[in-house]
Amino acid sequence: MTQDKCLVDIHTHVYLPEYLELLRQREKVPRVLPPLEEGEDERLIILPDEDKGESTKNGRPVGPDYYDVREKLAFMDKHDIDISVISLANPWIDFLPPTEETFDLARRLNVSMEKMCQDPITHGRLYGMGTLPLSSVEGSIAEVERIAALPRMRGVIMGTFGCGKGLDDPALEPLYQAIAKHNLVIFLHPHYGVNLPASGNTDAGHSLALALGFPFETTYAIARLILSGIFDRVPDLKILLAHSGGTLPFLAGRIDSCVAHDPAVASKLNHPPSYYLKKLYYDAVIYHETGVKATAAFVDPSQMMFGTDHPFFPPLETKDARWMSVDSNLSAISNAGLDSSTVEGILGKNALRIFNLELP
Ligand code: 5CU
C-alpha cells in the first residue's frame, strides 16, 4: 500500500462497551432497550424525541457492527479501507452531570478506545478520537491532557451543545486553548438537530432529522463559533466538520454578506467569516458529487477527507453486500470532476498528513 493509493476513513463510529452499559441502565433517551424478540439484537434510541415517533419509538437494532472491533475490521476489509480514525457515536456523554463519576467514565472510555486501537488484531489500522465530559470545562481540560498522552489518539469528538450554551460560550475558551496546545483536532459532529416549529416529528422516521437537521445544526453551530471571533484568539484551533460542513460551502457567501452589512458583528472579527471557514477541515460524507464539488470549490480540497459514518446506514438487504452509503460517497468523490491527485488526497493522503497517521 502506498500513500497515493490508500483509503482512510475519518468518520466512523463505535459504541464502546462501557457506553452501551450506561445506555442499558437508562430509562430516558439516549438508551438501549432489550430485544423486541428473544434472540434478536438490542435496540438503540438516541435521537431527540426518537421515542415519540410512531416508526422510531422502538429504536433500531444495535448489533456487533456497533461495538465489536472485529466487525469494524471486517467492514474495512470489505471496502478496502486501510486505516480508520474511530470516534464514539453520539450523543457521547453530553447529558451527564459534572460529577466525579462522569469524569471517571470519560477516562474509562478513552482508555477503552486506546486499547481498541492498540488491539494486536487491528495491525495498526485504527486511530481514535477521545470523548470529553463536556458538562465541566475543567473536567474536559483534564481529560484533554490525558488524551494527548495516549499514543493512538488524534483528536476529540464534540457535539454542538458545549456545556449547554453552544460552542461560542466564553467558558469553553480555555478548553479550545488546551486542545490547540496539544495539536488535537476537534471532530465537530451533530446530534441535536434544529428545534424549529417546522421541523417537528413527522412520518419521515429518521430521514429528515439525519439528512437536514444534522447538517443545519452543524452549519449554525460553527457559524456561531466563528462569529464569536474564536479563531482570532485561538488561531491554531483545528476543527473537522462532519457532513462536508453541513451547508456551509453553499451558504458562506451569504454569511459573509450579512456580517459585512452588520458593523457591530463585523467589528468583532479580523476577517470575513469565510476566511475562517476556509481554514477548517471537511469530511466528504455528502453522498453526491454536487456536495463534493461545492466543498472542493470552497475550501482547498487538501482539507477534505473521506468518511463512511459506519456503523450507521447499513445495507437493508443482505449482510454480505458492500454498503451503499460507502459506495455513494466513493463515487461522489470520483465523479466530482477533480484531478486524480486531488481525489487521492481526499481518499487518504490528506488524512495521513492532517492526523499524522502511519500506514500499517
Ligand atoms: O442514523 C443515525 O441515527 C446516525 C446518528 O445518530 N449518528 C450518526 O453519526 N449517523 C447516523
Side-chain angles (χ1 to χ4, degrees), residues 11 13 15 46-47 50 60 89-90 189-191 206 210 214 243 309 312-313:
H11 187 155
H13 301 294
Y15 283 105
I46 46 169
L47 299 174
E50 191 168 359
R60 286 168 283 170
N90 49 302
H189 193 290
H191 169 73
H206 301 111
L210 296 175
F214 266 29
H243 315 126
D309 213 352
F312 296 106
F313 309 118

Side-chain angles (χ1 to χ4, degrees), residues 118-137:
Q118 286 199 17
D119 188 325
I121 66 169
T122 68
H123 296 292
R125 295 170 72 193
L126 297 185
Y127 289 85
M129 295 271 181
T131 300
L132 299 178
L134 274 167
S135 51
S136 160
V137 173

Side-chain angles (χ1 to χ4, degrees), residues 17-35:
E18 296 80 356
Y19 190 67
L20 281 176
E21 200 40 52
L22 166 78
L23 297 188
R24 279 186 196 110
Q25 287 162 16
R26 284 175 56 83
E27 291 182 358
K28 300 197 286 200
V29 175
R31 65 186 299 206
V32 165
L33 295 174

